[in-house]
């Protein structure tokens, strides 16, 4: 606060305004209830009551998006290659889940997984010594929610098309989403093990939607696979790395972490649990963090194979606890230097969110009113 009226200060201190006015009079200040008091006067009164005045931090940047766009507060670090973040899209029953499972099962060794694979909405695999991050949030819904909220998390999308079924409505939807988000597409022609598999037809149909195979003079990679039998998975992953290399994905592991919420929920025992994708920098246990409209300090981190970790670098998915509230998928997160600032930004964002929600409610009520007329 810069200033308060006598009335406001009285309320904050839980005193009668007349009492404050009397005190001010004793200090040689004539005041009325609506009189604005400056910082010094406020401090004087507060000290008199034995109340400590805490210096409030002024926050001018509460839009987390600004932290993504400018690096002004970060020392110029070293940009290094980071793993690609991949989503899998495609028509229902064309094999998205089977492919995700197949990749996970063939690439994450049983020993590593320790028998139980904890589901955190994303996982990493290693192909030819290079990491690839897969988001296994339920396909289109997550993709559109995140995009609608302005979060760009995907570097590349694998479009799964069943060779025995061809292009279907959700295939086209997926293409449109990927194009709108300017995310490169690799086509996985799935179910090649089936008698009725017709990859030529898939290529033909996709060409009509602007995805022209290299063999036909285009620049879209088509990888034939059988997600069920695990055939062609290595080749598909090699293609992912190839496209990633062309995209020159870089990050600075030394800066404070920024990224996006993949999923979050309230856990009975652990409180707010959120899976975060670190997009730049390194996230550490103990970091003061603002996540969407909530904040906290990273209490514990668990990686995609259920191990506790102390840090998570670029493109790493990690589950954290320690937030005051449950954020939403697609929310941005930013790590701050100190907890005070994180708290100030977080609280300011929470207040704004509540106000927006209120005005939203009013509007909805009015709409309802009109509906009834
Ligand atoms: P999603 O809806 O895209 O996630 O599709 P699913 O992964 O659930 O697969 C739908 C059905 O297709 C399941 O019965 C799978 O076993 C089957 N399926 C997936 N991939 C293949 C494949 O490569 N070959 C065969 N024959 N069946 C497959
Ligand atoms: Mg599925």
């Amino acid at each position: 606060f810069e200033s308060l009226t006598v009335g406001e200060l009285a309320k904050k201190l839980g005193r009668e305004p007349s009492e404050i006015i009397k005190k001010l009079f004793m200090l040689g200040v004539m005041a009325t209830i609506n009189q604005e008091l400056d910082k010094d006067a406020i401090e004087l009164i507060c000290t008199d009551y034995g109340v400590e005045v805490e210096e409030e931090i002024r926050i001018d940047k509460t839009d987390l998006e600004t932290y993504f766009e400018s690096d002004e507060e970060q020392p110029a670090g070293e940009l290094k290659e980071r793993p690609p973040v991949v989503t899998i899209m495609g028509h229902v029953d064309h094999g998205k889940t089977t492919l995700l499972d197949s990749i996970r099962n063939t690439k994450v060794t049983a020993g590593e997984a320790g028998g139980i694979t904890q589901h955190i909405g994303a996982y990493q695999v290693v192909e030819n010594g290079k990491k690839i991050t897969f988001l296994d949030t339920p396909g289109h819904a997550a993709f559109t929610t995140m995009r609608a909220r302005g979060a760009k998390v995907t570097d590349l999308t694998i479009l799964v098309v069943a060779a025995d079924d061809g292009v279907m409505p959700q295939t086209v939807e997926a293409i449109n989403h990927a194009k709108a988000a300017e995310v490169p597409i690799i086509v996985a022609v799935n179910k090649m093990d089936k008698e009725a598999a017709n990859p030529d037809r898939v290529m033909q149909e996709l060409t009509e939607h602007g995805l022209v195979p290299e063999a036909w003079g285009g620049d879209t990679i088509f990888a034939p696979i059988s997600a069920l039998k695990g055939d062609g998975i290595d080749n598909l992953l090699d293609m992912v790395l190839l496209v990633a290399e062309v995209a020159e994905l870089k990050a600075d592991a030394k800066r404070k972490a920024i990224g996006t919420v993949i999923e979050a929920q309230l856990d009975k025992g652990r409180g707010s649990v959120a899976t975060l994708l670190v997009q730049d920098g390194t996230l550490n246990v103990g970091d003061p963090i603002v996540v969407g409209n909530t904040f906290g300090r990273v209490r514990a981190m668990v990686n995609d194979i259920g191990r506790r970790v102390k840090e998570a670098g670029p493109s790493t998915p990690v589950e954290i606890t320690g937030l005051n509230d449950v954020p939403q998928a697609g929310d941005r997160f930013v790590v701050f230097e100190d907890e005070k600032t994180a708290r100030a930004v977080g609280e300011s964002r929470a207040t704004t969110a509540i106000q927006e929600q209120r005005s939203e409610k009013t509007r909805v009520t009015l709409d309802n009113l009109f509906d009834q007329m």
Side-chain angles (χ1 to χ4, degrees), residues 58-72:
R58 287 187 70 83
I59 301 297
D60 39 47
K61 287 206 292 185
T62 55
D63 179 8
L64 296 185
E65 217 59 40
T66 60
Y67 292 94
F68 273 71
E69 281 151 16
S70 89
D71 280 345
E72 63 192 66

Side-chain angles (χ1 to χ4, degrees), residues 8 14 37 98 104 124 129 181 195 202 234 239 248 278 282 284 327 362 371:
E8 284 164 350
L37 297 173
T98 310
R104 187 181 354 221
Q124 273 190 328
E195 197 74 50
V202 173
D234 272 313
M239 293 303 128
E248 290 189 36
V278 178
T282 297
N284 298 284
T362 323
D371 278 348

Side-chain angles (χ1 to χ4, degrees), residues 91-99 190-194 225-229:
H91 196 71
V92 65
D93 283 345
H94 278 199
K96 298 179 294 293
T97 304
T98 310
L99 177 58
N190 192 29
K191 307 200 185 183
M192 287 298 286
D193 60 287
K194 280 196 157 183
I225 62 163
S226 167
L228 194 67
K229 301 217 180 305

Side-chain angles (χ1 to χ4, degrees), residues 26 29 45 76 81 93 98 100 112 129 142 211 343:
M26 308 282 270
V29 181
I45 299 284
E81 194 181 310
D93 283 345
T98 310
L100 273 163
E112 255 186 319
L211 298 178
R343 174 184 291 271

Side-chain angles (χ1 to χ4, degrees), residues 32-276:
T32 62
I33 186 161
N34 291 320
Q35 188 142 341
E36 293 263 345
L37 297 173
D38 63 14
K39 227 173 107 186
D40 288 343
I42 295 166
E43 237 167 48
L44 218 59
I45 299 284
C46 287
T47 314
D48 223 40
Y49 282 115
V51 175
E52 217 175 294
V53 184
E54 224 181 278
E55 190 75 44
E56 198 160 299
I57 308 172
R58 287 187 70 83
I59 301 297
D60 39 47
K61 287 206 292 185
T62 55
D63 179 8
L64 296 185
E65 217 59 40
T66 60
Y67 292 94
F68 273 71
E69 281 151 16
S70 89
D71 280 345
E72 63 192 66
E73 271 155 48
Q74 299 292 334
E78 200 184 339
L79 288 180
K80 288 200 179 142
E81 194 181 310
R82 65 166 174 85
V85 178
V86 181
T87 47
I88 296 185
M89 297 175 88
H91 196 71
V92 65
D93 283 345
H94 278 199
K96 298 179 294 293
T97 304
T98 310
L99 177 58
L100 273 163
D101 289 348
S102 173
I103 293 170
R104 187 181 354 221
N105 294 338
T106 54
K107 292 295 160 185
V108 179
T109 64
E112 255 186 319
I116 40 130
T117 322
Q118 186 174 342
H119 178 90
I120 71 163
Y123 64 84
Q124 273 190 328
V125 297
V126 178
E127 173 75 5
N128 291 333
K130 293 196 166 183
K131 284 181 182 168
I132 304 172
T133 303
F134 281 93
L135 300 185
D136 65 358
T137 42
H140 300 230
F143 200 83
T144 36
T145 323
M146 288 200 201
R147 262 212 334 113
R149 317 194 67 227
K152 196 193 170 198
V153 291
T154 315
D155 299 308
L156 196 157
T157 202
I158 294 176
L159 179 64
V160 179
V161 187
D164 62 339
D165 203 23
V167 171
M168 288 288 144
Q170 283 170 287
T171 316
V172 179
E173 233 176 78
I175 296 170
N176 292 338
H177 284 313
K179 276 188 183 162
E182 294 174 18
V183 172
I185 297 171
I186 291 179
V187 180
V189 184
N190 192 29
K191 307 200 185 183
M192 287 298 286
D193 60 287
K194 280 196 157 183
E195 197 74 50
N198 187 350
D200 276 346
R201 188 182 126 208
V202 173
M203 290 198 272
Q204 188 68 55
E205 289 170 348
L206 283 177
T207 297
E208 288 163 28
H209 292 278
L211 298 178
V212 185
E214 287 176 312
W216 297 357
D219 58 5
T220 303
I221 294 171
F222 282 67
I225 62 163
S226 167
L228 194 67
K229 301 217 180 305
D231 296 337
I233 303 295
D234 272 313
N235 174 59
L236 175 65
L237 297 181
D238 286 341
M239 293 303 128
V240 166
L241 289 174
L242 193 75
V243 174
E245 212 174 298
V246 173
E248 290 189 36
L249 309 166
K250 301 267 182 323
D252 171 11
K254 294 218 170 85
R255 61 164 285 168
K256 287 192 285 293
I258 55 170
T260 301
V261 177
I262 302 303
E263 55 184 37
Q265 66 274 325
L266 195 63
D267 182 276
K268 248 193 196 163
R270 295 185 295 161
S272 169
V273 177
T275 298
L276 307 182

